[in-house]
C-alpha cells in the first residue's frame, strides 16, 4: 500500500452522479478521473468549452464510464441551472457535488481593484453558494440526501497576506459548509464537508501562485514537516471517501491534507528547527553550569 495508490476497489460509485466544478484541470480533473474509475457518472463543468470537452473525453476513455463535460460559469445562476438540469436529464438523478472551481492570484492587497476582489469572490464563494443552493433545492424537492464536498484551503481559518480575496472567499465557503451541515443535515440528511489541501502541484496554482521566480526563492515543500508536496491520488482518495457512504457519519468537517504545513507555521517554537546541534549543546551546557552554581 502506498499513498499514491488508489484506495477503493471495484465500482462503489456505480449509479451515482457527481457534479465537479472546475473538473477539467488540476485537482478537479484528478478527482473526476478517480470517481469515474470507481463507476460514478461524472459531470464536469468550467468556462473553457474545449478544455472541459477534451477532459470529459479522456476521462471517459480511460475509465469506460460516461462523463458529461459542460461549459458553464459558476458565477452565473442561469448557467448553474442549465448544468444541473442537463446532468439530471442525462443521468436521471444527481447525488453529489464537489465545489472545486477557483480563481486566485498573488498580489499586495493595496494593488488590487475592487473588481479583482469581485472576480475571486464571485468564483469561489458565490460560485459555491450558487451550486450548493440550486442543487440543495433540487435534492430537497426530490427527497435525495445529497453530499457536498467543498475544496477550501488552510488559510480559510488562518487568513493570509497576498491572496486576500481568496482567503476571504474560502473562509466564507468554510462557514457555508459548517452552517448547512447543521441546517440541512438535520432537516434533509444532506451532508457537507470540506477538504483543505496544502500545496499540490497543478498548472493553475503553480503558474499563478508559485511561478518559477518565486519557487527559486521559496520551495513550497520547505515549509512542510513531511518535506514534500501532495500527490493528486492521495487527495482523490480522501475526496472519494468523503463522497462515499463510508463517511456517512462525517458532517460539517474540514479535513486538512497538508503534511502538517499550517501547524508548522502556527507553532511558536517550530522555527527552532533552524538551531544546530552545536547550539542545543551550548544551551544544555549553559543550563548545567547554572545548576552547578546553585
Ligand atoms: C492583480 C488581477 C490579477 C493579478 C486579474 N486581476 N489578475 N489583479 N493581480 N494577477 C484583476 C484584473 O485586472 C481585473 O480588475 C479583475 O481582476 C478581473 O480580471 P479578469 O481577467 O477579467 O477576471 P476573470 O476573467 O474573471 O479571471 C479570473 C482570474 C483568473 C481569477 C483573474 O486568474 C482565472 O481565470 N483563474 C482561474 C484558475 C485559477 O485561478 N486557478 C488557481 C486556483 S489555485 P480590473 O480592475 O483591471 O478590471 C488556489 C490554491 C490556493 O486557489 C492555495 C495554494 C497553496
Ligand atoms: P486549477 O487547475 O486552476 O483549477 C481551477 C478550475 O476552476 C479550472 O478548471 C477553471 O477552469 C475553473 N474555473 C475558474 N473559474 C471558473 C468559473 N467562473 N466557472 C467555472 N469554472 C471555473 O487549480 P487547482 O490547483 O486544481 O485548484 C482546484 C481547487 O483546489 C481550488 O478550489 C483551489 O483553491 C484548491 N486548492 C488547490 C491547492 C493547490 O496547491 N493546487 C491548494 C489548496 C487549495 P476554467 O478556467 O476553464 O473555467
Amino acid at each position: 500500500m502506498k499513498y499514491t495508490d488508489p484506495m477503493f476497489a471495484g465500482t462503489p460509485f456505480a449509479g451515482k452522479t457527481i457534479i465537479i466544478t472546475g473538473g477539467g484541470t488540476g485537482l478537479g480533473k484528478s478527482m473526476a478521473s478517480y470517481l469515474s474509475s470507481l463507476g460514478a457518472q461524472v459531470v464536469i463543468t468550467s468556462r473553457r468549452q474545449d478544455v472541459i470537452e477534451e477532459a470529459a473525453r479522456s476521462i471517459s476513455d480511460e475509465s469506460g464510464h460516461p462523463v458529461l463535460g459542460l461549459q458553464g460559469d459558476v458565477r452565473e445562476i442561469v448557467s448553474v441551472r442549465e448544468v444541473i438540469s442537463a446532468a439530471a436529464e442525462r443521468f436521471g438523478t444527481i447525488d453529489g457535488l464537489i465545489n472545486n472551481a477557483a480563481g486566485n492570484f498573488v498580489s499586495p492587497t493595496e494593488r488590487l481593484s475592487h473588481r479583482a476582489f469581485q472576480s475571486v469572490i464571485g468564483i469561489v464563494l458565490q460560485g459555491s453558494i450558487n451550486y450548493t443552493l440550486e442543487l440543495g433545492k433540487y435534492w430537497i424537492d426530490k427527497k435525495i440526501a445529497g453530499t457536498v464536498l467543498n475544496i477550501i484551503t488552510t488559510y480559510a481559518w488562518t487568513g493570509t497576506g497576498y491572496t486576500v480575496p481568496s482567503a476571504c472567499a474560502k473562509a466564507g465557503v468554510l462557514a457555508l459548509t459548517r452552517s448547512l451541515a447543521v441546517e440541512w443535515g438535520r432537516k434533509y440528511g444532506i451532508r457537507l464537508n470540506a477538504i483543505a489541501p496544502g500545496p499540490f502541484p497543478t498548472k493553475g496554482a503553480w503558474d499563478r501562485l508559485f511561478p518559477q521566480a518565486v519557487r527559486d526563492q521559496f520551495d513550497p515543500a520547505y515549509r512542510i514537516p513531511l518535506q514534500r508536496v501532495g500527490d493528486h491520488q492521495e487527495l482523490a482518495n480522501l475526496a472519494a471517501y468523503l463522497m462515499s457512504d463510508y463517511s456517512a457519519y462525517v458532517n460539517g468537517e474540514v479535513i486538512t491534507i497538508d503534511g502538517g504545513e499550517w501547524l508548522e507555521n502556527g507553532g511558536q517554537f517550530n522555527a527552532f528547527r533552524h538551531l544546530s546541534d552545536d547550539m542545543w549543546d551550548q544551551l544544555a551546557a549553559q543550563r548545567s553550569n547554572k545548576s552547578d552554581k546553585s
Side-chain angles (χ1 to χ4, degrees):
M1 173 175 52
K2 283 204 338 249
Y3 66 84
T4 49
D5 290 339
M7 191 172 78
F8 285 109
T11 52
F13 284 88
K16 299 282 180 199
T17 302
I18 297 172
I19 296 180
I20 305 174
T21 67
T25 64
L27 295 176
K29 188 176 180 191
S30 296
M31 291 186 280
S33 302
Y34 188 43
L35 288 165
S36 178
S37 77
L38 297 174
Q41 295 154 167
V42 172
V43 181
I44 54 176
T45 178
S46 79
R47 294 167 300 177
R48 287 168 298 167
Q49 184 144 12
D50 53 336
V51 170
I52 210 72
E53 284 177 358
E54 171 50 31
R57 227 183 342 264
S58 72
I59 296 169
S60 177
D61 284 351
E62 182 133 332
S63 70
H65 296 113
V67 178
L68 186 57
L70 297 170
Q71 192 276 336
D73 189 324
V74 295
R75 293 173 286 194
E76 306 295 337
I77 198 71
V78 173
S79 156
V80 171
R81 288 178 183 145
E82 282 170 1
V83 168
I84 292 174
S85 53
E89 192 174 318
R90 170 75 190 274
F91 293 124
T93 60
I94 304 164
D95 306 280
L97 164 69
I98 304 183
N99 283 310
N100 164 81
N104 205 354
F105 43 72
V106 281
S107 173
T109 308
E110 65 275 17
R111 293 189 185 201
L112 296 179
S113 68
H114 71 284
R115 280 181 297 272
F117 262 88
Q118 219 166 36
S119 169
V120 172
I121 287 173
I123 300 169
V124 175
L125 179 54
Q126 190 63 52
S128 302
I129 290 170
N130 286 344
Y131 263 96
T132 307
L133 189 59
E134 289 304 306
L135 213 45
K137 288 176 179 175
Y138 164 89
W139 284 333
I140 292 162
D141 181 50
K142 305 264 183 240
K143 300 194 170 27
I144 296 170
T147 304
V148 179
L149 176 61
N150 292 324
I151 308 302
I152 60 164
T153 65
T154 54
Y155 57 64
W157 58 90
T158 63
T160 184
Y162 304 97
T163 57
V164 172
S166 174
C168 297
K170 295 287 192 183
V173 177
L174 178 56
L176 178 76
T177 309
R178 289 176 168 155
S179 305
L180 284 181
V182 173
E183 185 181 335
W184 285 358
R186 178 172 292 278
K187 287 201 287 192
Y188 309 114
I190 295 171
R191 291 190 300 129
L192 291 95
N193 289 297
I195 293 178
F200 282 72
T202 65
K203 184 167 169 30
W206 254 231
D207 284 1
R208 289 179 178 85
L209 307 175
F210 305 115
Q212 194 58 52
V214 172
R215 257 178 282 160
D216 291 343
Q217 286 196 43
F218 311 100
D219 174 2
Y222 175 75
R223 297 150 29 89
I224 300 169
L226 296 183
Q227 296 183 58
R228 67 172 176 87
V229 293
D231 182 87
H232 284 215
Q233 185 61 48
E234 57 192 335
L235 187 133
N237 285 340
L238 178 56
Y241 166 70
L242 288 172
M243 293 305 291
S244 79
D245 213 44
Y246 292 117
S247 63
Y249 203 46
V250 182
N251 188 29
E253 193 49 77
V254 49
I255 299 189
T256 301
I257 178 164
D258 74 342
E261 182 193 39
W262 86 270
L263 287 169
E264 162 81 26
N265 295 292
Q268 187 152 29
F269 295 100
N270 289 333
F272 276 38
R273 73 178 186 278
H274 295 295
L275 299 188
S276 63
D277 283 347
D278 283 350
M279 179 71 96
W280 284 114
D281 290 343
Q282 282 173 32
L283 290 171
Q286 284 167 12
R287 231 178 22 244
S288 65
N289 281 347
K290 269 194 201 141
S291 59
D292 289 348
K293 283 176 195 143
S294 59

